[in-house]
Amino acid sequence: MNTAIPSCGRREASGPGRVASCWLAALLASGLSCQDTTPGLLFDTKQTSLAAGAAGELASGIVEYAHARAQQQPGFQVSAAYRKLIRVAYELSSETPAVAAAHTRIQQGMSPSPPKQAFSAVKVLEATLGQADAAQRGDGADDGRLARCLFEVASTIDPGNVRCLAGVAALHRVPHADVRWADALAAYRRVVPNGFQSSILGLAVSSPDGTAQVGAVSRILMTWAALREGDVSVEFLRPGGSDMQISSEEAVRYWDQFRVDTELPPGRLRISFEEKFTTKDGPSAGAAFAVLLRSFSDPFVIDPRFAMTGDVSVEGRVLPVGGVFAKVRGAALGGCTRVGIPLACAGELVDALVLAGPQPVLALEVIGLANVEDAIALARLDRSERVLLASERFGQLRKAAEAQMVPKPRARSAEIDRLVADVLAMVPNHISARLIGAWNAGSLPARLSIGGSLEAVRMNLIRYLTTIRVGESPDIKDVKTEVSSAQAQAAQEALRVAGTKLAVESNLWSRSWMPPTAA
C-alpha cells in the first residue's frame, strides 16, 4: 500500500529534574535535526525604534504564551503558528535565555518547556499591540517589518482582534513592510539522512492452542528513503489483512493534518513489522503507526521500553481493541516499563484483578490513552517532568503494594493511598495506580463484568471440550458424557472456581448441563 502525500515547499530518570542530555545525544545520533544555517532576518531590532529592554520583556512574554498554548492545545507545538511566535521572539531578543532555549528546542526536536510562571494572555496581547502601534508610527528602517510581525503575533493570540486586522491591512500598503517568513523559518527546516530508521513497540495477541490468548511485543520499523525531488509518501510493506490496512490508512490521514506545517524533504517512509513471516491483521497497530509518523515530522525519539496498542481515528482518538490483558502481560514479559492501552479498555484489567489480585498491574505502568497526544507524551524519550515524576512515585507505590501483600493482605495502607493520589495528580489516566488504589481500599468489584464473565466461561469451556473431544472439533454434547479423564476433571474444576466470580446467577452451576465431578 502506497499513500502519496503532497510535499510542503533522558534516559529513564533516577530523578525527574535530570537534564535530558542522553535523549539529545540519541536525537543527534539518529540524524533528526534541522539545518544549521543563518536564516534571513524578519527585521533587525537595531534598525527599529524598540528599546532593547522592552524587546527582551516582550520576547519573554511571547515565549511564555507559546509554551502555555502548547500545553493546552495538543499539536500546537508543531504548527507553523508556534514556530512563527518563537521566531519573532528570537529576533526581538536572541540573548534572552528563555527565548534562545525555545528556539534551540525547536531545532533539536524537543518538546516545549512548561510555562515557568503564571501570566495573562491579555497582558501579552496588549503589550504586543502597544509595541506594534509604536513601531507603525516609528521612523526606523525596519519599523514597518517589526510592526507587521507583531500584528501577526497578536492575531495568533486573538484572531478576531480589530486592531490587528486594521494594522495588517494598513501595512499592506506600506513599502518595506513585507515579511519573508520562508527565509526566516529556514532555521527550523528538517534535514533527514537517507536510511534514517525509527521504531515503536506494538502489541500482538495470538492463540497457539486455540484457547488461551498469548500477548507479545511486536516491533514496528520505519525507514526513510530520501529522494532528490517529489512528494513525501508512506508505504506499508506486507500490510496484512483488511482491518490492518484500514487502520494504517486512518493513521496516515491523521498524520497528514500535522505534517502540513512541517517542511519535510522529499522521500519515502517505509513501515513494516520486524517479525515478517507471520501475517498480521486487526486494527490494534493503528495508534502506534500514528505515533511513529508523528515522531518523524515533529520530530522526537521514541522510548524503546514503551509499548502500546489501540486503533486510531482520523481525528486522533485511540479506539478500543481486543486481547488487552494478554497484551499487557506480553509487554511485561518483553521487558517494557510502561504500556499504553485505549482508555475504553480499562475494564478488562479490572476483570484481571478480580481474578488474580493486583499482581498483573504491578509489573509495569499501564496508562489509558484517549488520543494520540496522550500516547506521544508517554512514548517520547524526553517525557515531561510530570510524567517522569509519576513514574518515580509509581516505583514507590509498587514496593508499598508488594509489602502489603506479604505474607497476606493487611488493613488499608495510608501510604498506598498517598502514593496513588500523587501519581493520579500527575497522570490522571494511570490505570495501574488507580486499580492498586481500589484494591487497597477494598472497592474492587467482587464479580467479573458481563463481558469478562462470558469470556471466562468461553475459555474454560473451549479448553474443556478441546481436551476431551476425539473428533475433528469440540462439541457441546461431549460435556454430558466425557467426564472421566484427568484433563476433563481439571478443566471442570477451573470452571467451577471461576464460577464464583462470574456476573451470573449463582445456581447456574447446579443446572443439568454441568456434569458431575467424576469420582
Side-chain angles (χ1 to χ4, degrees):
M1 178 175 60
N2 189 17
T3 307
I5 303 173
S7 176
C8 294
R10 288 179 224 220
R11 113 192 130 107
E12 182 74 21
S14 56
R18 186 179 186 273
V19 177
S21 57
C22 72
W23 173 85
L24 183 56
L27 179 69
L28 296 175
S30 72
L32 287 175
S33 62
C34 296
Q35 287 186 336
D36 185 14
T37 61
T38 302
L41 295 174
L42 292 170
F43 52 83
D44 184 352
T45 309
K46 295 179 181 179
Q47 300 298 317
T48 70
S49 56
L50 183 61
E57 185 176 348
L58 180 59
S60 296
I62 292 172
V63 166
E64 286 294 302
Y65 167 79
H67 286 172
R69 184 164 171 183
Q71 277 203 328
Q72 298 164 3
Q73 180 180 331
F76 181 69
Q77 73 274 12
V78 297
S79 68
Y82 177 81
R83 287 173 167 81
K84 285 184 177 181
L85 290 174
I86 301 302
R87 186 64 192 152
V88 171
Y90 187 72
E91 299 234 358
L92 283 169
S93 182
S94 61
E95 296 180 357
T96 300
V99 175
H103 173 76
T104 302
R105 291 179 82 87
I106 295 179
Q107 288 185 313
Q108 301 300 342
M110 300 173 69
S111 57
S113 300
K116 294 184 171 52
Q117 57 187 13
F119 79 104
S120 168
V122 174
K123 289 184 179 179
V124 176
L125 175 63
E126 288 301 319
T128 303
L129 287 173
Q131 295 295 354
D133 288 338
Q136 197 172 15
R137 298 189 301 268
D139 55 7
D142 268 4
D143 270 328
R145 290 194 180 91
L146 171 61
R148 179 73 175 273
C149 289
L150 293 181
F151 278 127
E152 289 212 28
V153 168
S155 66
T156 300
I157 300 173
D158 184 4
N161 188 280
V162 175
R163 287 170 64 187
C164 295
L165 298 174
V168 171
L171 287 168
H172 273 302
R173 302 187 294 270
V174 177
H176 309 299
D178 58 309
V179 177
R180 302 176 66 176
W181 284 111
D183 292 341
L185 295 179
Y188 305 142
R189 186 174 298 143
R190 290 288 312 285
V191 175
V192 187
N194 186 45
F196 161 77
Q197 292 185 335
S198 183
S199 66
I200 188 170
L201 298 181
L203 294 168
V205 66
S206 61
S207 299
D209 62 356
T211 57
Q213 290 185 326
V214 177
V217 169
S218 182
R219 191 161 173 249
I220 306 170
L221 305 172
M222 181 174 67
T223 304
W224 171 251
L227 299 174
R228 291 182 179 274
E229 57 184 19
D231 299 333
V232 178
S233 65
V234 180
E235 179 182 3
F236 289 88
L237 306 178
R238 299 175 293 278
S242 59
D243 288 348
M244 180 167 288
Q245 291 189 44
I246 293 171
S247 187
S248 63
E249 289 168 359
E250 288 291 277
V252 173
R253 291 178 61 204
Y254 159 79
W255 180 59
D256 190 33
Q257 302 171 65
F258 286 85
R259 62 107 233 154
V260 292
D261 284 330
T262 303
E263 190 172 349
L264 299 175
R268 181 180 297 111
L269 287 167
R270 290 172 171 160
I271 298 176
S272 63
F273 287 89
E274 184 175 60
E275 202 292 292
K276 51 189 175 292
F277 298 112
T278 303
T279 301
K280 309 291 191 301
D281 198 6
S284 62
F289 290 151
V291 172
L292 194 57
L293 290 167
R294 282 285 301 274
S295 76
F296 180 80
S297 59
D298 285 20
F300 56 86
V301 177
I302 296 174
D303 186 345
R305 290 173 294 178
F306 169 77
M308 65 177 294
T309 186
D311 192 8
V312 69
S313 74
V314 70
E315 304 161 307
R317 292 185 297 120
V318 177
L319 306 177
V321 293
V324 167
F325 179 51
K327 292 174 181 177
V328 169
R329 287 183 301 188
L333 293 173
C336 299
T337 57
R338 76 184 50 76
V339 59
I341 68 170
L343 191 57
C345 294
E348 190 169 335
L349 294 187
V350 176
D351 283 339
L353 265 69
V354 171
L355 288 173
Q359 290 91 340
V361 294
L362 286 175
L364 75 175
E365 295 182 81
V366 182
I367 301 171
L369 308 175
N371 51 55
V372 176
E373 293 298 334
D374 289 348
I376 290 174
L378 297 174
R380 59 189 306 151
L381 200 54
D382 64 326
R383 290 183 293 281
S384 71
E385 297 295 320
R386 290 175 66 86
V387 175
L388 289 173
L389 186 56
S391 294
E392 183 181 284
R393 290 287 189 273
F394 181 76
Q396 299 171 10
L397 175 60
R398 178 190 293 117
K399 293 179 180 178
E402 289 172 346
Q404 188 74 357
M405 291 186 292
V406 178
K408 61 181 180 179
R410 305 169 189 170
R412 181 172 181 171
S413 165
E415 180 188 12
I416 290 179
D417 284 341
R418 176 182 61 79
L419 290 169
V420 166
D422 287 349
V423 173
L424 294 179
M426 292 175 280
V427 181
N429 291 340
H430 202 295
I431 297 172
S432 291
R434 192 171 295 279
L435 292 180
I436 292 171
W439 166 79
N440 182 55
S443 59
L444 283 174
R447 294 181 180 273
L448 299 172
S449 65
I450 294 294
S453 297
L454 292 173
E455 179 65 10
V457 171
R458 185 186 75 85
M459 294 304 297
N460 279 284
L461 190 56
I462 287 178
R463 186 179 294 111
Y464 180 85
L465 292 172
T466 302
T467 300
I468 64 177
R469 177 64 174 169
V470 178
E472 295 179 356
S473 61
D475 195 307
I476 190 67
K477 68 177 185 295
D478 294 329
V479 178
K480 299 179 180 179
T481 57
E482 301 280 355
V483 296
S484 59
S485 72
Q487 294 94 332
Q489 292 179 43
Q492 180 182 329
E493 180 60 24
L495 186 56
R496 289 186 183 279
V497 171
T500 64
K501 298 184 178 181
L502 302 183
V504 291
E505 314 173 45
S506 60
N507 67 352
L508 174 65
W509 310 107
S510 62
R511 292 184 179 178
S512 59
W513 66 267
M514 190 70 180
T517 303

